[in-house]
Amino acid sequence: NEDITLNLRLGGQTLPETVYLLANGRRYKMTAADARNFTFTFNKIQKPFAFRVEAAGFESGDYEVNLIPRPSLEVFSATLQYPAYLGRVNESLNNVGNLLVPEGTRISWSFRSTDTDSLLVVFGQGAAVAAQRADDEEFTFATKAMRSESYQVKLKNRYGFNKEDINYYLDVIPDQFPKVTLESFKDTTLFNYLVFGGNISDDYGFSKLSIVYEIEPADEEDTRERKGSIALPLQPKQTIQNYYHQWSLEKLKLVPGDKIRYYVQVWDN
């Protein structure tokens, strides 16, 4: 199914004005580039054939054109195994090369091809990586999607590569860091408590929310526990939510001159 162009050059002193090709029981006139050079293109060859050249009553011997198979991709599928914390059902796509997936998704491809000795996958500007052969016509390849980039599938046999480039794009949705805001109010009379409030947000949910604190005693020889944390309640699957906590300071046994530093910390899922 590809074209082949025959280039012919004539020698000698007496040159014919026209040159013909004899092929498949037909006679074709070649195109003259100049007095000595002629061309003819056979279009989309489907089967082997023989041809001869004829000019001014003379004929050449027979020449044969044989066909060789190029590797060809027939069908393929991609199985998407999403990270467990997303709670998303895995899925399979047929003949879909351009993919949009969350970061950390494991993608397993199955390629079915013909006349293929090896199949290579190239991501971005990286090196080609060979897929695993499953049987005479199937190759498999798997990777974990961590960044957006283009990828190319190459098929190869002993004669060469596939004719048309097979290019796709893998678009990865990053797992964003969670966000947290904090407002605090303190008991300015007895300094017995602190009140915290704010909101947290994340693209997929949360696993933990805490107040983290550190005490700097006025007396450096003080043996009290200087660091600690307090877990705050949250809704793990709710992507945007508020929090509130009134923190009693009595258990810390603060004395005049003590300093306390604190912050709120949130973990995604």
Side-chain angles (χ1 to χ4, degrees):
N1 202 41
E2 296 181 25
D3 300 341
I4 181 173
T5 297
L6 175 67
N7 297 298
L8 174 70
R9 179 174 175 82
L10 298 176
Q13 298 299 318
T14 304
L15 302 176
E17 295 183 357
T18 56
V19 178
Y20 295 91
L21 283 176
L22 304 177
N24 300 319
R26 297 182 62 180
R27 194 165 182 255
Y28 304 93
K29 184 178 180 180
M30 299 188 71
T31 300
D34 54 41
R36 292 185 179 274
N37 296 283
F38 296 80
T39 65
F40 184 83
T41 298
F42 295 97
N43 296 312
K44 297 187 181 302
I45 300 170
Q46 300 295 321
K47 58 184 180 180
F49 67 94
F51 69 88
R52 287 178 292 161
V53 179
E54 178 188 73
F58 294 92
E59 289 187 2
S60 72
D62 286 338
Y63 295 91
E64 293 185 357
V65 176
N66 293 312
L67 302 188
I68 57 176
R70 279 191 184 271
S72 175
L73 181 62
E74 300 297 321
V75 295
F76 66 96
S77 64
T79 299
L80 309 180
Q81 183 178 351
Y82 300 112
Y85 67 83
L86 298 183
R88 187 171 172 179
V89 178
N90 299 334
E91 60 182 321
S92 294
L93 304 173
N94 293 321
N95 298 318
V96 178
N98 295 318
L99 300 173
L100 176 64
V101 299
E103 181 181 1
T105 299
R106 181 171 177 80
I107 308 174
S108 300
W109 284 275
S110 173
F111 301 96
R112 296 202 71 83
S113 62
T114 56
D115 301 308
T116 304
D117 295 332
S118 61
L119 186 147
L120 308 172
V121 183
V122 184
F123 284 92
Q125 302 300 316
V129 181
Q132 297 293 317
R133 178 182 285 277
D135 57 34
D136 290 343
E137 295 184 345
E138 183 180 5
F139 294 84
T140 60
F141 185 85
T143 189
K144 180 179 285 188
M146 301 304 294
R147 64 177 180 270
S148 297
E149 58 188 341
S150 61
Y151 70 98
Q152 183 179 38
V153 179
K154 292 185 175 183
L155 293 83
K156 184 180 180 182
N157 63 18
R158 64 184 183 277
Y159 301 115
F161 290 92
N162 49 296
K163 183 180 180 182
E164 303 293 338
D165 289 341
I166 305 173
N167 295 312
Y168 297 112
Y169 192 79
L170 175 60
D171 197 355
V172 176
I173 304 171
D175 186 355
Q176 302 290 342
F177 288 108
K179 297 178 180 179
V180 58
T181 65
L182 167 64
E183 292 186 18
S184 61
F185 306 92
K186 55 190 175 183
D187 172 11
T188 57
T189 303
L190 300 176
F191 296 96
N192 286 334
Y193 63 85
L194 291 170
V195 176
F196 295 94
N199 63 70
I200 56 176
S201 60
D202 187 63
D203 42 4
Y204 297 118
F206 311 94
S207 60
K208 186 178 178 182
L209 176 66
S210 297
I211 299 171
V212 182
Y213 65 88
E214 180 178 359
I215 300 171
E216 183 181 325
D219 182 359
E220 294 184 357
E221 297 182 359
D222 195 313
T223 59
R224 283 175 296 166
E225 183 69 34
R226 299 192 179 195
K227 296 181 179 180
S229 64
I230 302 171
L232 301 182
L234 54 74
Q235 299 295 324
K237 295 184 179 180
Q238 186 175 327
T239 57
I240 300 176
Q241 55 189 287
N242 299 322
Y243 68 91
Y244 172 87
H245 182 72
Q246 182 170 316
W247 182 20
S248 174
L249 303 179
E250 293 180 356
K251 292 182 179 180
L252 300 182
K253 299 179 180 180
L254 299 177
V255 298
D258 285 353
K259 295 180 180 180
I260 181 170
R261 298 181 178 88
Y262 56 89
Y263 58 88
V264 174
Q265 187 172 22
V266 65
W267 289 257
D268 68 11
N269 59 351

